[in-house]
Amino acid sequence: MNILILGATGFIGSVVAARLVADGHSVTGLGRNPMRARLKQPAIEWRRGDLSRMTKPEDWQDLLKDRQAVVNCAGALQDGLSDDLSATQAEAMLALYAAAKRTSQPLIVQISARTAGAAGDLPFLATKRRADEALAASGLPHLILRPALVLGRNAHGGSSLLRALAALPLALPLVHAESPVETLPVDDVAEAVSRAVAVGLRGDIDLAADETLTLADLVSLHRQWLGLPPARVFSLAPWLAKPVMWLADAAGLLGWRSPLRSTAMAVMSEGIRNVKGESGLVATSAAATLSANPSGVQDLWFARLYLLKPLVISGLSAFWLLSGLIPLLALQKTSAHFLPFMPESTATALTLATCLIDVTLGAAVLFRPLAKRALLGMLAVSFAYLAGASLLEPMLWLDPLGPLVKVLPSILLTLTALATLDER
């Protein structure tokens, strides 16, 4: 079959795409930035596309030509600088269904979620529900899959957070520690999609392993998987997590996709459970999923670095902002370093320029779309400062306060931020 996969570069989409290729299908993957995916999965034809801008049936006509199936693995947790839930999860899907009716009416497989419950009115679930209801009423052949918490060899979002929490030293402080959580491996999601394409699996199916763990159980299971000794779980009151949630929501407005945002906390407050029916699909337990994919040292590194990454980014931002603002409090004294080499007016202008550069880089790194360029700018400016100071005032290397020596750790921290910046 000729199959189009939306969100094919994502955690679930990449596994589904690989499975369908292995099944012998011709697969086209759609993603916002498929450059790296094109290198990793050359057997797939890759197309660039942003669902938030594909909200009219005409936007889909070319993509749907000669397709026998469309698998929607795209999704987002919360509105922010990088995501528009209404456009991506609802309007784009309604446009897709309208376009599909005009063509060969391909099978539509929608990877959705349980949209009922206390969190059902949040945009994340409300937009999915709108798309699900429209698909069910469209008359198109379809399968709506509602997986529980998806685990896999790789990790993204909630599964990344599980690993990070499991790697905390000494103790495991958890909010909603006793909330029930059902899971399944990403390979079982891919199996369900494969059956839908091959044998005509249809309908609206909840998918989860036949077990219910608590969040504390699941984190402890991941800790064991990482090879770390058992640690005591401390159940924290939800209000203690609100400052972190507010910061995560603020980061979302800047383009960062934290799994600690308010939507995720609202969902976890009631747990992640499905209403499984008779579908012929059997999901693997969390313990069996992890046992089938033994961890390596790279998984431990990832788990330990995951929660440090936002601290590294915010720490660099504060360092550069303060580096640019503090000299302004004593501008004449700061510019005095340049007086042996240039007139006073030029020294003042140069000081102001360097302060502006520092403040600009410190602010820009907080915006996810600008972060990489800001980090590269920090490296360039740091080396420029070191080179210029070494030429004009080399004795600064011997200064007891170490104004030049202190630049070296910031360079290493910037390299660390660059190394961990990619999200998928």
Side-chain angles (χ1 to χ4, degrees):
M1 291 181 96
N2 191 345
I3 302 173
L4 173 67
I5 301 181
L6 315 181
T9 59
F11 172 49
I12 294 176
S14 59
V15 176
V16 169
R19 171 59 188 269
L20 294 177
V21 168
D23 288 345
H25 300 290
S26 175
V27 175
T28 299
L30 185 74
R32 281 191 282 192
N33 188 13
M35 291 179 58
R36 184 171 297 172
R38 187 176 287 115
L39 297 173
K40 292 194 296 183
Q41 294 178 294
I44 296 172
E45 177 189 353
W46 290 98
R47 301 280 294 272
R48 184 188 298 272
D50 184 346
L51 294 183
S52 66
R53 299 181 180 181
M54 301 172 65
T55 56
K56 298 178 181 178
E58 302 80 56
D59 298 327
W60 292 94
Q61 288 180 350
D62 179 60
L63 276 171
L64 293 181
K65 186 178 181 180
D66 300 324
R67 306 290 180 194
Q68 284 81 51
V70 178
V71 184
N72 178 26
C73 301
L77 179 67
Q78 194 165 320
D79 285 314
L81 186 63
S82 298
D83 298 299
D84 181 340
L85 294 187
S86 179
T88 300
Q89 296 191 164
E91 294 171 24
M93 294 303 99
L94 269 60
L96 165 64
Y97 307 154
K101 289 182 181 180
R102 301 175 186 174
T103 59
S104 57
Q105 298 199 5
L107 165 68
I108 308 292
V109 180
Q110 167 89 334
I111 309 297
S112 186
R114 186 177 70 92
T115 58
D121 291 333
L122 294 174
F124 167 59
L125 295 177
T127 53
K128 281 189 173 291
R129 182 168 59 250
R130 182 182 170 198
D132 295 347
E133 291 173 350
L135 178 58
S138 68
L140 293 166
H142 68 272
L143 170 65
I144 299 174
L145 281 176
R146 304 184 189 278
L149 181 63
V150 180
L151 305 177
R153 184 64 190 85
N154 299 321
H156 183 70
S159 56
S160 297
L161 182 60
L162 284 174
R163 298 185 186 190
L165 292 172
L168 290 174
L170 304 179
L172 305 177
L174 300 178
V175 178
H176 307 306
E178 297 305 314
S179 289
V181 183
E182 294 180 347
T183 68
L184 78 159
V186 67
D187 289 338
D188 286 356
V189 179
E191 170 67 18
V193 175
S194 176
R195 290 197 192 185
V197 171
V199 299
L201 184 64
R202 301 290 185 269
D204 191 325
I205 298 174
D206 285 22
L207 195 56
D210 192 20
E211 66 172 2
T212 302
L213 305 174
T214 65
L215 178 61
D217 293 335
L218 195 54
V219 172
S220 298
L221 192 61
H222 277 77
R223 187 174 180 87
Q224 180 184 12
W225 177 72
L226 289 169
L228 297 174
R232 183 178 176 183
V233 174
F234 288 93
S235 184
L236 302 179
W239 65 267
L240 289 172
K242 284 189 176 181
V244 175
M245 182 184 70
W246 292 333
L247 288 172
D249 281 350
L253 297 176
L254 300 177
W256 303 93
R257 299 184 178 100
S258 170
L260 289 168
R261 285 175 287 176
S262 54
T263 295
M265 300 296 282
V267 171
M268 188 51 67
S269 68
E270 62 175 353
I272 303 175
R273 301 190 68 173
N274 283 359
V275 182
K276 297 179 288 296
E278 293 297 327
S279 65
L281 298 172
V282 179
T284 308
S285 69
T289 299
L290 295 177
S291 296
N293 298 279
S295 71
V297 68
Q298 69 273 19
D299 298 297
L300 188 58
W301 281 31
F302 172 83
R304 286 173 169 167
L305 286 170
Y306 188 76
L307 293 179
L308 286 177
K309 176 179 171 179
L311 298 180
V312 169
I313 296 293
S314 56
L316 281 170
S317 174
F319 172 78
W320 282 83
L321 287 171
L322 292 174
S323 295
L325 294 174
I326 290 177
L328 297 177
L329 301 177
L331 183 60
Q332 187 175 2
K333 182 178 180 181
T334 305
S335 60
H337 288 285
F338 299 118
L339 291 180
F341 315 103
M342 61 190 70
E344 183 177 353
S345 60
T346 305
T348 301
L350 182 59
T351 302
L352 289 172
T354 57
C355 288
L356 178 61
I357 290 172
D358 289 0
V359 169
T360 300
L361 291 174
V365 76
L366 294 175
F367 289 84
R368 180 62 185 87
L370 301 177
K372 184 174 183 179
R373 280 173 283 184
L375 291 169
L376 292 173
M378 289 176 179
L379 289 176
V381 171
S382 296
F383 285 119
Y385 285 167
L386 289 178
S390 298
L391 290 173
L392 299 178
E393 204 169 349
M395 292 305 294
L396 284 175
W397 284 103
L398 302 179
D399 190 300
L401 296 178
L404 295 186
V405 173
K406 290 176 181 177
V407 177
L408 300 179
S410 76
I411 291 175
L412 294 177
L413 198 62
T414 305
L415 291 172
T416 301
L418 274 171
T420 60
L421 188 62
D422 290 338
E423 296 174 341
R424 57 179 59 177

